[in-house]
């Protein structure tokens, strides 16, 4: 099991610049290194209304852009609620970037009252993300927001 409290301290130490580009790239890299069974980890950024642009990520080339009314990432952006999906094939409008992906966790990144983007994690293991994983990753996003100037 991942020690998310330790990971939060590691992320806090790693993010030693306020630059959003550096910090988002470092966050993806740390997640892939420390969280088991991920085949993709990355940010989608809201750079224009109702559309997510692919940002820094680790993994295979991915779908771009993603409108707010499509997929798991779109749902997270639209609702500003974390989407924790045990089986992506059960989600009718799931966007399959990599057929290996079975489970997905998407956490919105809300800065003040603005949606900045989402963090998307994919796993080849069905049911990979527990409620503890969700809480741990949400806490990491709080560290990312606190350390970054947007
Ligand atoms: N599966 C996502 C698309 C992004 S990729 O997984 C990297 C979705 O349904 O929004």
């Amino acid at each position: 099991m991942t020690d998310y409290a330790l990971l939060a301290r590691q992320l806090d130490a790693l993010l030693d610049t306020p630059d959003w580009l550096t910090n988002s790239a470092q966050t993806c890299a740390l997640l892939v290194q420390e969280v088991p069974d991920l085949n993709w980890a990355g940010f989608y950024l809201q750079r224009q209304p109702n559309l997510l642009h692919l940002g820094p990520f680790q993994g295979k080339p991915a779908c771009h852009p993603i409108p707010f009314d499509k997929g798991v990432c779109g749902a997270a952006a639209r609702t500003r609620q974390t989407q924790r999906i045990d089986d992506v094939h059960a989600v009718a409008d799931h966007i399959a970037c990599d057929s290996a992906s079975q489970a997905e966790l998407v956490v919105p990144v809300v800065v003040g009252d603005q949606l900045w983007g989402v963090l998307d994690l994919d796993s080849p293991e069905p049911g990979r993300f527990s409620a503890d994983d969700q809480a741990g990753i949400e806490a990491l996003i709080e560290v990312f927001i606190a350390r970054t100037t947007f």
Side-chain angles (χ1 to χ4, degrees), residues 1-10 31 34-36 105 121 128-130 132-140:
M1 244 179 65
T2 302
D3 183 343
Y4 284 105
L6 174 61
L7 203 47
R9 291 197 295 279
Q10 289 175 320
L31 285 167
E34 297 297 333
V35 179
L105 183 71
L121 304 181
R128 165 63 185 83
F129 302 108
S130 65
D132 284 350
D133 290 306
Q134 177 176 338
I137 299 293
E138 287 173 345
L140 294 179

Side-chain angles (χ1 to χ4, degrees), residues 4 15 23 27 42 54 67 94 103 108 119 121 124 135 138 141-142 149:
Y4 284 105
L15 303 185
N23 286 355
T27 300
L54 183 59
H94 165 251
L119 172 71
L121 304 181
E138 287 173 345
I141 286 299
E142 290 307 314
T149 300

Side-chain angles (χ1 to χ4, degrees), residues 40 44 62 66 71-73 94-95 97 104 120 122:
W40 202 88
Y44 280 93
I66 296 180
V72 182
C73 291
H94 165 251
I95 302 165
C97 302
E104 185 158 10
D120 181 19
D122 287 346

